[in-house]
Amino acid sequence: MTSEATGDRLHRIGEISRKIGLTVRALHHYEAIGLIEPHSRTEAGHRLYGAAAIERLYRISVLRDLGLGLDDVAAGLDGGDLRSLMSEHLGAVEARLAAEQRLRNRLARLVGILDDAASATEDTAGDLLNVLEDMTMLETRLDRRIAVLVYDDIEAAYQYLVDTFGFGPGELTRDPDGTVVHGEIEAGDGEFWLHQRSEEFGLKTPAELGGATGSMVVLVDDVDAHHRYAVEHGAAIRYEPTDMPYGYREYGAVDLAGHLWSFMRPLE
């Protein structure tokens, strides 16, 4: 999709979310606090982003990687030209590459020592400590988790989950024939992706397998109120709200494909 006014290619919010590793909710928050602005919306109301928004997202990402909070990002977002920011980003990447090369050299030296019988008794504790330091400097922070659930009919499952359990509606992606091939729902600070069953990757629904191998756990403010809402909207309840010996009150329900959902809250 392109903008008629500028000829820019426009990107859906779901595509942006998947490419840059931010949830749809986070992108909505960036818009709410004035960091980015979508170019336009589809007839269905989904946000579309053009070149200007993508440049701002790049700036935000680099400033965040440099350790700035969102308030500082907002203050510095429009300061300086793009080339200067890219030069600073390039310097950070080169520093990381240098650190990786240093770690590689340390490891190669230690492997050589351990392979050399004459040097096998050499005290390598100091070298190992340096390796650990380099590893810490290069450690990648894990900051996002997404559960992927398999369904025969993604659109029906999406509507059921939104209507029955009150999840936030996210993106629905359709193929050229109009069939939904990917869906996203929001749950508090996380999200779930809805995936097509796949023979190639052995992805099947619990209903097809005859049982589930796990369950989805969602923390809610009021378990009993959420249970009443779900019942009123046709949920298939597996067990009623119960105080569990491991310190949570919870209830369970299954969705259209047989996935087990547990909604819970820590006991006071």
Side-chain angles (χ1 to χ4, degrees), residues 7 13 15 20 29-30 71 74 107 121 125 132 138-139 148-150 153 171 173 179 210 217-218 221 241 261 267:
I13 191 171
E15 177 190 358
I20 70 175
H29 179 61
Y30 281 6
D71 289 342
L107 288 170
T121 59
L132 287 169
L138 289 169
E139 185 177 273
V148 178
L149 302 174
V150 179
D153 186 334
E171 280 286 300
T173 303
T179 301
V217 175
V218 180
D221 290 332
W261 294 82
L267 293 169

Side-chain angles (χ1 to χ4, degrees), residues 209-231:
L209 293 171
T213 60
S215 66
M216 307 304 118
V217 175
V218 180
L219 296 182
V220 296
D221 290 332
D222 187 324
V223 171
D224 294 272
H226 194 276
H227 171 261
R228 288 193 297 271
Y229 177 91
V231 170

Side-chain angles (χ1 to χ4, degrees), residues 66-100:
L66 294 174
L68 299 184
L70 285 180
D71 289 342
D72 293 324
V73 168
L77 193 55
D78 296 312
D81 64 307
L82 183 60
R83 186 185 183 286
S84 296
L85 183 61
M86 283 187 170
S87 294
E88 187 171 358
H89 188 192
L90 177 61
V93 171
E94 289 176 339
R96 181 178 178 86
L97 290 174
E100 289 179 338

Side-chain angles (χ1 to χ4, degrees), residues 9-267:
R9 183 189 168 195
L10 301 179
H11 304 262
R12 289 176 177 270
I13 191 171
E15 177 190 358
I16 295 293
S17 172
R18 288 189 293 277
K19 284 183 178 293
I20 70 175
L22 277 176
T23 65
V24 170
R25 183 179 292 273
L27 290 169
H28 289 176
H29 179 61
Y30 281 6
E31 180 183 345
I33 63 176
L35 293 183
I36 59 171
E37 185 70 28
H39 175 278
S40 56
R41 294 175 184 258
T42 66
E43 292 183 1
H46 299 305
R47 292 164 174 81
L48 296 171
Y49 294 91
I54 290 172
E55 179 181 322
R56 288 181 71 84
L57 284 170
Y58 169 76
R59 291 176 181 271
I60 292 167
S61 179
V62 173
L63 293 172
R64 292 284 279 165
D65 283 348
L66 294 174
L68 299 184
L70 285 180
D71 289 342
D72 293 324
V73 168
L77 193 55
D78 296 312
D81 64 307
L82 183 60
R83 186 185 183 286
S84 296
L85 183 61
M86 283 187 170
S87 294
E88 187 171 358
H89 188 192
L90 177 61
V93 171
E94 289 176 339
R96 181 178 178 86
L97 290 174
E100 289 179 338
Q101 183 63 39
R102 185 170 61 248
L103 175 59
R104 184 261 175 209
N105 292 340
R106 291 192 196 279
L107 288 170
R109 176 178 178 275
L110 285 172
V111 169
I113 289 173
L114 295 175
D115 284 342
D116 184 354
S119 304
T121 59
E122 183 174 331
D123 183 5
T124 59
D127 291 313
L128 283 174
L129 188 59
N130 289 332
V131 167
L132 287 169
E133 181 180 13
D134 286 343
M135 289 170 61
T136 300
M137 295 296 292
L138 289 169
E139 185 177 273
T140 299
R141 182 169 56 92
L142 302 178
D143 60 6
R144 191 183 188 199
R145 73 281 181 275
I146 299 172
V148 178
L149 302 174
V150 179
Y151 293 94
D152 289 312
D153 186 334
I154 294 176
E155 188 166 14
Y158 172 95
Q159 204 60 55
Y160 180 89
L161 294 170
V162 170
D163 293 344
T164 306
F165 298 137
F167 289 119
E171 280 286 300
L172 282 177
T173 303
R174 300 178 185 273
D175 65 15
D177 296 327
T179 301
V180 175
V181 294
H182 173 83
E184 299 174 10
I185 56 172
E186 299 171 1
D189 65 344
E191 62 182 306
F192 297 96
W193 286 4
L194 314 184
H195 196 288
Q196 290 178 305
R197 62 184 304 282
S198 170
E199 293 294 337
E200 178 182 0
F201 296 106
L203 298 177
K204 299 182 179 181
T205 68
E208 185 178 5
L209 293 171
T213 60
S215 66
M216 307 304 118
V217 175
V218 180
L219 296 182
V220 296
D221 290 332
D222 187 324
V223 171
D224 294 272
H226 194 276
H227 171 261
R228 288 193 297 271
Y229 177 91
V231 170
E232 290 171 0
H233 290 79
I237 303 299
R238 176 62 60 85
Y239 56 93
E240 302 293 324
T242 306
D243 291 345
M244 298 298 186
Y246 42 84
Y248 283 81
R249 182 168 180 78
E250 67 179 73
Y251 81 92
V254 293
D255 64 20
L256 297 180
H259 295 289
L260 176 63
W261 294 82
S262 296
F263 298 93
M264 59 176 61
R265 189 73 183 170
L267 293 169

